[in-house]
């Protein structure tokens, strides 16, 4: 009976022991696998791009909210940092929502030079994460900015060099935290310096503009004073010589009475003898009608008749007209038409 009970006990315990053994073996295998694999390495954060550099929270804001937030960030010296709460991101998001917004475009033009300098400073202090973020902001603001390619190459080469140096000198978590804190502090200082330089430059430009405006106002004042002095001088001269001033107006009225319609020649140059007719011994005469104006000049000259060899007729008439048009007479009271016969001997 005792043996029978022992057999029963053995048969009841054996399955339990076997189950425990299998469970322990599986647990040991899992521990070994975990030890062999080790903790999963943290994945490096993806570099920001012009498409992703504006945070989702900023991109979801309305146009009026973006304008207000951008102005506040600029006044509080958050020009391009920190990420997600700076003037450049707000203005970029505003430009995306309202492409024709002149205020956003103007502000981005002002902020771009400071962002370029900040990116260069980021490379200098080995703050490559910030430098890459700034490059993405610059690329979104102006994809063709002349400094963009140079900055990208500088960041890439210096970042690769820093990674190689980091492999040989691992920093502890505390040292890394201190380094990041120092970088953030230096970043803020650089941003303040840039804004102060921008303010000084703006103040200098405003002072120069005011000086130029003052100089222009003084020049106009002096010109006006000179013009007034000249006017007064002319007025005084006119007051001293009233008879001389009145003479020019009286002269035109007396002119018609002094002049008459009698044609008195002043200059009547002879016509040129046509060379072909002269060589052939041809002679003739041409009667010309013309009008003498009140100033004594000749106009409307035309040939009335001609007595010349047929082969030279046009030559004689042409030279006769040319001569008459050069004639000058004394002024007459009214235009007078006359005829003259010009002989070619």
């Amino acid at each position: 009976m005792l043996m029978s009970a022992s057999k029963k006990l053995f048969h009841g315990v054996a399955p339990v022991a076997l189950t425990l053994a299998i469970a322990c073996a599986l647990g040991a295998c899992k521990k070994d696998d975990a030890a062999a694999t080790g903790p999963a390495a943290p994945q490096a954060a993806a570099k920001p791009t012009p498409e992703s550099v504006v945070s989702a929270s900023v991109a979801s804001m309305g146009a009026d909210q973006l304008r207000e937030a951008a102005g506040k960030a600029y006044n509080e010296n958050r020009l391009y940092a920190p990420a997600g709460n700076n003037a450049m991101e707000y203005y970029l998001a505003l430009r995306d929502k309202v492409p024709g917004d002149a205020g956003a475009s103007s502000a981005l033009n002002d902020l771009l030079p400071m962002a370029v300098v900040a990116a260069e400073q980021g490379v200098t202090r080995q703050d490559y994460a910030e430098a890459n973020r700034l490059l993405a902001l610059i690329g979104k603001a102006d994809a063709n900015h002349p400094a963009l390619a140079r900055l990208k190459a500088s960041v890439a080469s210096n970042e690769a060099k820093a990674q190689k140096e980091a492999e040989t000198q691992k920093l502890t978590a505390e040292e890394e935290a201190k380094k990041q804190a120092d970088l953030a502090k230096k970043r803020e200082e650089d941003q303040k310096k840039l804004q102060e330089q921008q303010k000084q430059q703006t103040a200098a430009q405003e002072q120069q503009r005011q000086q130029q405006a003052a100089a222009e106002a003084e020049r106009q004042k002096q010109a006006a004073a000179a013009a007034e002095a000249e006017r007064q001088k002319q007025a005084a001269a006119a007051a001293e010589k009233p008879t001389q001033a009145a003479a020019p107006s009286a002269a035109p009225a007396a002119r018609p009475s002094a002049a008459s319609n009698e044609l008195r020649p002043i200059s009547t140059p002879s016509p040129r003898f046509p060379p072909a007719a002269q060589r052939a011994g041809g002679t003739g005469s041409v009667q010309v009608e013309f009008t003498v104006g009140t100033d004594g000049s000749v106009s409307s000259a035309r040939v009335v008749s001609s007595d010349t060899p047929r082969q030279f007729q046009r030559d004689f008439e042409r030279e006769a007209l040319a001569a008459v048009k050069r004639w000058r007479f004394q002024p007459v009271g009214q235009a007078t038409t006359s005829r003259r016969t010009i002989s070619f001997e």
Side-chain angles (χ1 to χ4, degrees), residues 257-299:
S257 60
S260 66
N261 293 334
E262 182 182 356
L263 297 182
R264 299 177 180 178
I266 296 175
S267 174
T268 55
S270 300
R272 188 175 71 98
F273 207 107
Q278 188 174 26
R279 287 193 298 269
T283 60
S285 61
V286 178
Q287 187 180 41
V288 178
E289 183 182 86
F290 56 91
T291 300
V292 178
T294 56
D295 61 349
S297 62
V298 173
S299 63

Side-chain angles (χ1 to χ4, degrees), residues 261-336:
N261 293 334
E262 182 182 356
L263 297 182
R264 299 177 180 178
I266 296 175
S267 174
T268 55
S270 300
R272 188 175 71 98
F273 207 107
Q278 188 174 26
R279 287 193 298 269
T283 60
S285 61
V286 178
Q287 187 180 41
V288 178
E289 183 182 86
F290 56 91
T291 300
V292 178
T294 56
D295 61 349
S297 62
V298 173
S299 63
S300 303
R302 69 183 186 88
V303 173
V304 177
S305 63
S306 61
D307 182 14
T308 59
R310 183 178 298 275
Q311 66 270 33
F312 303 124
Q313 180 178 353
R314 289 186 179 180
D315 296 335
F316 282 118
E317 291 178 353
R318 181 180 64 251
E319 296 298 337
L321 288 174
V324 170
K325 289 178 181 179
R326 296 196 301 270
W327 288 2
R328 291 293 179 270
F329 296 83
Q330 290 185 356
V332 292
Q334 63 182 10
T336 302

Side-chain angles (χ1 to χ4, degrees), residues 154-186:
S154 177
V155 171
S157 62
N158 283 278
E159 191 174 14
K161 182 179 178 181
Q163 287 176 353
K164 289 182 180 180
E165 292 177 353
E167 290 176 359
T168 60
Q169 185 180 2
K170 297 292 184 181
L171 296 178
T172 64
E174 183 178 355
E175 291 172 335
E176 181 64 27
K178 184 177 182 303
K179 178 182 177 182
Q180 293 301 324
D182 291 341
L183 287 174
K185 182 178 179 180
K186 188 68 169 61

Side-chain angles (χ1 to χ4, degrees), residues 24-49:
C24 290
L26 291 173
C29 290
K30 289 179 179 180
K31 288 180 180 180
D32 292 341
D33 292 341
T37 305
Q43 294 182 352
K47 291 182 180 180
T49 64

